[in-house]
Amino acid sequence: MANSLEIFDSETHFVDVLLPVPIPQAFTYRVPRHLNEFIKAGSRVIVPFGRNRVLTGIISEVHGNPPEKYKAKYISELMDEEPIVTASQLWLFQWVADYYMCYAGEVMNMGLPSGLKVNSESRIQLNPDFFEHDLLEAKEQEILKIIEENENISYADLSKFIDEIDVTKIVKKLIDKHAIIVYEEVKERYVPKKIKKIRLRASLASKKAVLKLISELEKSQKQQAVLLCYLSHTSIDTLEEKNLHGIDKVFFKDAETSSSSLKTLIDKGIFEQFEITVSRFDSIDTNDLLEITLTNHQERASNEILSGFAEKQVVLFNGITGSGKTEIYIELIQKVLENGSQVLMLLPEIALTTQIVSRLQKVFGDKMGVYHSKFSDNERVEVYMGVLSGRYQFVVGVRSSIFLPFKNLGLIIVDEEHEISYKQFDPAPRYHARDVAIMLAHKQKAKVLLGSATPSFESYWQALKGNYHLVELNERYGDAKLPSIELVDMKEERKNETVRKEFSEVLLKAIETNINNKEQTIIFQNRRGYAPYLNCEECNWIGKCHQCAVSLTHHLYENTLVCHYCGHTETLPKVCPVCESLKIKSKGVGTQKIEEDLQDIFPEASLLRMDFDTTRAKNAYQTIINEFSEGEVDILVGTQMISKGLDFDNVSLVGVFNADKMINFPDFRSAEKAYQMLTQVSGRAGRKKKPGKVLIQTSGPEHDVLQFVLNNDYKGFYAKEIKEREGFRYPPFSRIIGITTKHIARTISHKAAGLLAKTLKEKLGEARILGPEKGLVERIRNQYIFEVFMKLEKDKLNIPAIKTFLREQITELNTQKEFKSVRFVVNVDVI
DNA sequence: AGCACGCCGACT
DNA sequence: GTCGGCGTGCTC
């Protein structure tokens, strides 16, 4: 109907466009005829969306079917001559959306660097057909005058012209009266990096001409100096050829020549200035690349991996910490690159800024692209486009680099495969980079190497079942010894009253010895801030966040109370806000407190702290690591950040402050996580010649996780835990889908979760549904949180069908007026 | 998700 | 009276 008056022929094209909005439907736009021959799936388009929004989208399909129920709008602009998104990426966006129960547009939004999207800015224009100026109020006239004088002014600039607080309101009135027109100006965000260069006018670029010029400038000493500076950077004998490229303008500045003289020479037409586009990444000298040789053990492991790939798509490489996994990776990467295929190596975010990348760079030079979240938008676009053009055949990156435009991957390496940071938690898509990597590799017929010293149960289980090939390496590199691990029984120490500020005597003695021996110590406490809560000893008041159901953490240096969930910050009260008592005390221990206490106990020692708070700035992380590696620092206090991919030669002691919190966390995975974390942290000790020592403070030394860590017995630990998992049908025997309800009213959130759980139980049986339970934190940002979990056996159930059913049930609940504003967040494979 | 529209409280 | 709070609905 909507199209009844329009005439379409075989030359009328339509496109389905992926837009960065969480809406299930496809959006169909019409293609203006002049773009017909240029339109391709995978290219970016700018489209009007809604009343006056302008968005960048990706064409997912070109077709000739006019939509039946509405009139398609026209594309406003085609941004690319050639697609910048590959067919494989389009497929992956859809696969991730289906599997993780979100929308392809959301996946696209996350997968593309934001520099590839456009910025739009509202600009204002006079309406040429408006003549009723006398009908306007004074204020409106005033603003209209400014617009008249500054044609096409932006909204933001307009408010700078006038003190009026509510410019927008008056502008709105002017729009209503048709005095002005507002439109969206769109511009690309990516800005290529340019440098300014200087060269001689072509006719002067010869030895003869230049010599003449030098003598002509005899009277203008400063200008002559500029010219001589130029010649010192080129070469007078090959001037004609060298002059084409010119020299960087900064060279003149570095040589401290007069900038006004340079300008004069440019104005006289002797020099000319031009710009070239350069890469944002420093080029690396490719003549000086490092060669690596493998030890016998590494050689054997490498060969086993290769023969594993002959049979299986995925190889799980279980190599203990310090076994030199990186060298083996390098060897494999080189082999795959020689075959002309691409390689992607995934690293957990935090490991990426460090030593491993610089090591890889020494081997692969600038063939290797690095994709990291601390890069700027512009830098990320350059890596993206570098992969697309084939300039980077090898990329090391964080989890989102699985969405880069690879065309012929031969190998994906997922290092520290067990790391839970591979799973994106918020926002959608809540994907697991390792699992998506396996899917992507399957699609591109590539191999996957999962590496870990403490494999996830999922992967180890797959390996033992024979679905993955398993390679193990139990030798440390060189003569490095595994650290000796000891438990410190805090109950015992408390009884003997040897505990000082929560530190055991054993640990303090060990630190002291270490300081005296000029060796370094790492203290691990997985809690940042100074103290986890503030408590009034008079009335028992506890500082809580007003919009989340958690206590506020005391941060000493900032003198603040901070909510670690919503980021809310307030200044530390001097007296109790309830009873005005002065007896308000910090309780519990965070990294700041440990740092302070250690400084107290060892006033001579130099300390560093590494946690979320000290590593916010772009290079802060690197700075701390450098400072610590240089060896002047005695003790490094840190959260789990310190456990990832760092090798310090001089660390001979690792102290784990409180192991009990990790072990007793209410989650079926807590033992697995605690084992992984303790093993990783222990691995930081004694990487070179010195055998390291690890001291774990605990009040429950008999706990079997600790016993397994002590004996470095991954297999024993796995064997015991997997039985329990099987008994309770927990992963890897099942898949868990979590559904979270969020609402400002507790009862409504609870009721919605309850109803959903009820229908799911009816459909799938009581045993498969857990909950609803209130969230681990009951309220975050004023939203009450309830959770329902589905435990679905992989082998018995049709999980895609269950997902569809779940989606329908959520939609159904959202149509009921009581639950209209309840937010349902679905998390497939919750961790 | 954003953004506009629309319907009720507390204020110059 | 009106400003502006956020509930509701729509986006090709």
Side-chain angles (χ1 to χ4, degrees), chain A residues 281-400:
Chain A
F281 299 101
D282 297 333
S283 77
I284 291 153
D285 190 358
T286 38
N287 295 317
D288 194 26
L289 297 182
L290 204 71
E291 299 251 341
I292 51 133
T293 35
L294 299 187
T295 64
N296 288 343
H297 297 302
Q298 289 172 332
E299 188 72 50
R300 186 198 48 109
S302 168
N303 288 335
E304 262 188 56
I305 291 169
L306 282 174
S307 59
F309 280 144
E311 286 159 36
K312 303 268 157 63
Q313 195 213 346
V314 183
V315 170
L316 174 62
F317 176 33
N318 178 13
I320 58 169
T321 53
S323 59
K325 290 196 289 283
T326 313
E327 284 75 20
I328 298 173
Y329 294 155
I330 290 171
E331 165 104 352
L332 288 165
I333 294 164
Q334 282 172 332
K335 285 201 170 120
V336 177
L337 291 176
E338 278 163 26
N339 283 335
S341 301
Q342 296 169 308
V343 179
L344 167 64
M345 178 165 172
L346 296 180
L347 286 173
E349 165 112 25
I350 205 72
L352 202 72
T353 33
T354 59
Q355 294 142 323
I356 190 159
V357 171
S358 47
R359 215 140 109 222
L360 291 168
Q361 228 143 23
K362 281 188 192 124
V363 177
F364 295 99
D366 43 20
K367 271 187 290 186
M368 179 179 96
V370 181
Y371 200 69
H372 190 266
S373 65
K374 286 213 167 144
F375 280 175
S376 71
D377 278 355
N378 283 323
E379 288 169 323
R380 280 195 252 181
V381 172
E382 287 184 15
V383 178
Y384 186 98
M385 297 311 278
V387 174
L388 189 69
S389 71
R391 181 183 171 332
Y392 297 123
Q393 286 293 97
F394 169 38
V395 173
V396 200
V398 286
R399 59 166 183 249
S400 60

Side-chain angles (χ1 to χ4, degrees), chain A residues 361-487:
Chain A
Q361 228 143 23
K362 281 188 192 124
V363 177
F364 295 99
D366 43 20
K367 271 187 290 186
M368 179 179 96
V370 181
Y371 200 69
H372 190 266
S373 65
K374 286 213 167 144
F375 280 175
S376 71
D377 278 355
N378 283 323
E379 288 169 323
R380 280 195 252 181
V381 172
E382 287 184 15
V383 178
Y384 186 98
M385 297 311 278
V387 174
L388 189 69
S389 71
R391 181 183 171 332
Y392 297 123
Q393 286 293 97
F394 169 38
V395 173
V396 200
V398 286
R399 59 166 183 249
S400 60
S401 43
I402 51 171
F403 295 113
L404 288 170
F406 298 104
K407 281 175 197 143
N408 65 328
L409 277 168
L411 173 67
I412 305 180
I413 297 172
V414 185
D415 190 31
E416 309 291 351
E417 146 304 306
H418 63 277
E419 266 297 314
I420 52 169
S421 62
Y422 279 127
K423 178 82 158 81
Q424 167 143 323
F425 177 67
D426 234 3
R430 297 177 175 78
Y431 67 102
H432 196 302
R434 176 197 59 211
D435 299 344
V436 177
I438 292 173
M439 229 23 241
L440 173 65
H442 190 71
K443 174 83 177 169
Q444 297 207 8
K445 304 205 170 16
K447 304 292 180 188
V448 180
L449 180 61
L450 306 176
S452 174
T454 52
S456 66
F457 279 21
E458 272 82 357
S459 298
Y460 204 67
W461 183 70
Q462 293 284 5
L464 293 187
K465 278 214 316 188
N467 293 342
Y468 301 166
H469 184 84
L470 180 65
V471 176
E472 303 190 83
L473 179 56
N474 296 316
E475 250 73 37
R476 271 196 146 185
Y477 184 79
D479 3 302
K481 299 269 182 311
L482 272 178
S484 71
I485 305 175
E486 286 168 37
L487 300 180

Side-chain angles (χ1 to χ4, degrees), chain A residues 15-21 26-29 39-47 55-62 75 77-80 82-87 89-91 93 104-105 107-113 116-118 384:
Chain A
V15 284
D16 288 351
V17 178
L18 283 182
L19 293 171
V21 286
F27 293 92
T28 305
Y29 286 85
I39 215 89
K40 285 174 195 155
S43 293
R44 287 174 299 166
V45 282
I46 297 172
V47 292
L55 296 175
T56 317
I58 299 289
I59 300 172
S60 62
E61 214 188 315
V62 183
I75 287 169
E77 214 172 310
L78 173 67
M79 290 178 80
D80 305 302
E82 288 305 318
I84 62 140
V85 169
T86 63
Q89 281 174 292
L90 286 173
W91 172 85
F93 293 161
V107 187
M108 181 270 300
N109 196 32
M110 122 94 19
L112 293 188
L116 286 176
K117 291 159 215 162
V118 293
Y384 186 98

